[in-house]
Amino acid sequence: MKLPARFGPYTLLRRIAVGGTAEIYLARKHGVDGFARHLAIKRILPQLAEKPEFIQLLLDEARLAAHLHHGHIIEIHEVGILEDQAYIAMEYLPGVDLGRLLKAAQRRTRRVLIAHEDQAARASIRLKLEAAGLKVECLCAADPVEVEVRSMEGAVDLLIISDGLAGQGRAGLIQSVQATHPELLRTLIIAPEEARARPEPAKRAPAQRGFDQEGRGHGIYTLWVEHDLIDAARRSLAARLPMEIALQILRAVADGLHGAHSATDFEGRPLKIIHRDINPSNVLVSVNGVVKLVDFGISRAGNEIPGSGMLIGTHHAMSPEQAEGRDVDARTDLFAFGILLDTLITGRNPFLRDNLFATLHAIREETPPPLSERIPGVPAGLERIHQQALAKPLQRRYQSTGELLAELEGFLRQEGINLSPQRTRGLMSVLYTPEELARLGVSSFPLGEDEVEVNLQGIGGLAEGPLEVDLGWSPPRRGRGLWLLAGGLLLLGISVGLWAL
């Protein structure tokens, strides 16, 4: 289909995404006097448009979503059938889904700023990073002024700084780099020579080898490294997102899930909504850092689409009970949340294997290693949330999203995490060029001359769908709004007169 194209009262501008059952378009709806509104149009794929089970999924999604009004859930505006295609018109959030965001982060060449007074030490660290096979671009600085200069030259994904340089303005220098670089994964402070000369305790867990401080300024942001600097750098660079931003996204997802799980119908009765497909492609991140859940299309469906034999949901984001085809409740979403948490913190889905059967087996039978064995400095509070969310026995898992959200927010308060979307917005500007960000919005699609028309919906009960009014002639552009408004009022008067008869 050539775009832009008309679809009832909408103009389809570009295709945003396509999945196994539906496709989504950025669209514009038009109204009186040049009024225009941008939405996302989700409609069943043409080859499935005649299969009632898929149409029913779409309509079920719309009926459920009509009850969901939450800051972290995409809002549904209307549902219907146009040109023999079922569709949903929903809020458009300029941005990308989390899956694409993670891929964009993975494609980048990481930049490491090495700040050390000693030239030989800087060179040694650089050579060791290269010998470890890390594909990074290294920048070097010998004093605080040079650190500031190098910091302004571009992105900084990892800061390795000597205790001596950090001590010359420990809080100010490090915090300046942290504040300037939303993409910064971690700051590693090299311990003094006397500390590094001490033998490393043989039985200390990886999470405790110099990484055991907690609270703001440690762990999530900064690590004091006595031993294994290159190992700490390698494991820090394995993450795709800074832990602070990952936690911002996770908190928004948990809040949105809690809103869905707590939703009631118009009579106040619990809807018992289960999303069933919490995975990165169903988490949207706007160019302004706003995070929203989308796609409740299989929320109330069974484990298979009736008559299709298809197991629904994303296989590597299923709970054990979902993978086994058993009945599920809201706790299945909490397991999927645990998978998402693991993925955002470590950079990799813990259950993803080479094929479907191996992936489902891993979900049912395997337990991921602790986060702290893969990423240095993970606080104990986050480790506890991770382990409980991924508990396979239902009785050991969180029993409600409210319980999980309360513990997560308590952890965020303890760590002093900044939940402002501005940090995520800054990361978007690092991962995407200004031109790419502009294409994610709507400014690339100016209003076309043929798009200006009057759409009056359901006036006086005369029309069940949009009523396109052809005035038969084109009024002068100057004052066109008044002419269109007059036409609309004329139609309103006619419809009211007919109703009175």
Side-chain angles (χ1 to χ4, degrees), residues 213-395:
Q213 301 95 330
E214 289 192 24
R216 186 167 178 84
H218 300 92
I220 289 176
Y221 299 95
T222 306
L223 297 177
W224 175 280
V225 184
E226 293 182 6
H227 302 278
D228 295 337
L229 172 64
I230 303 305
D231 179 65
R234 177 185 58 79
R235 293 195 290 142
S236 294
L237 289 167
R240 299 189 195 179
L241 300 179
M243 200 179 299
E244 177 188 29
I245 290 178
L247 289 167
Q248 290 178 6
I249 294 171
L250 288 165
R251 192 266 172 196
V253 171
D255 196 22
L257 263 182
H258 182 53
H261 289 174
S262 306
T264 61
D265 64 14
F266 298 124
E267 305 297 327
R269 294 169 297 199
L271 287 170
K272 299 181 180 180
I273 291 175
I274 312 165
H275 189 285
R276 297 174 186 258
D277 200 15
I278 300 298
N279 74 85
S281 66
N282 286 332
V283 178
L284 303 185
V285 182
S286 82
V287 295
N288 292 317
V290 176
V291 178
K292 296 199 177 192
L293 267 178
V294 70
D295 200 352
F296 285 79
I298 61 175
S299 298
R300 293 283 292 276
N303 285 325
E304 292 185 359
I305 298 175
S308 71
M310 293 173 57
L311 187 66
I312 56 177
T314 303
H315 301 122
H316 55 259
M318 288 184 172
S319 66
E321 59 271 22
Q322 192 177 5
E324 292 171 356
R326 293 188 278 129
D327 290 339
V328 300
D329 57 26
R331 290 173 292 184
T332 198
D333 287 343
L334 304 185
F335 191 93
F337 177 87
I339 298 177
L340 185 66
L341 187 159
D342 194 305
T343 302
L344 295 190
I345 298 300
T346 68
R348 188 178 186 278
N349 184 306
F351 299 115
L352 186 61
R353 301 293 184 267
D354 293 336
N355 58 68
L356 167 63
F357 298 104
T359 297
L360 295 180
H361 179 270
I363 288 173
R364 293 193 305 265
E365 304 296 338
E366 298 177 20
T367 299
L371 296 173
S372 53
E373 291 185 7
R374 293 172 281 165
I375 300 294
V378 174
L382 184 58
E383 195 78 83
R384 287 191 297 270
I385 294 171
H386 170 256
Q387 291 174 356
Q388 189 168 350
L390 287 179
K392 297 189 191 301
L394 285 169
Q395 64 273 18

Side-chain angles (χ1 to χ4, degrees), residues 475-497:
R477 174 163 295 279
R478 187 176 181 86
R480 175 177 288 188
L482 294 177
W483 284 104
L484 293 174
L485 181 59
L489 291 174
L490 176 61
L491 282 170
L492 180 61
I494 294 171
S495 62
V496 170

Side-chain angles (χ1 to χ4, degrees), residues 180-202:
T180 307
H181 295 280
E183 74 282 2
L184 185 68
L185 296 167
R186 202 68 65 83
T187 297
L188 303 180
I189 301 179
I190 305 171
E193 188 68 34
E194 59 271 19
R196 287 183 281 124
R198 292 195 298 265
E200 182 181 6

Side-chain angles (χ1 to χ4, degrees), residues 76-123:
I76 299 294
H77 294 303
E78 62 185 38
V79 61
I81 297 178
L82 283 172
E83 302 171 10
D84 296 324
Q85 284 189 286
Y87 75 95
I88 296 176
M90 65 184 83
E91 170 190 1
Y92 174 65
L93 193 69
V96 296
D97 66 64
L98 185 53
R100 294 185 183 185
L101 185 69
L102 292 172
K103 289 178 181 177
Q106 186 180 30
R107 286 194 298 265
R108 289 185 57 248
T109 298
R110 299 293 176 83
R111 303 177 87 236
V112 179
L113 176 54
I114 305 169
H116 202 292
E117 308 92 327
D118 184 71
Q119 182 178 0
R122 295 195 302 271

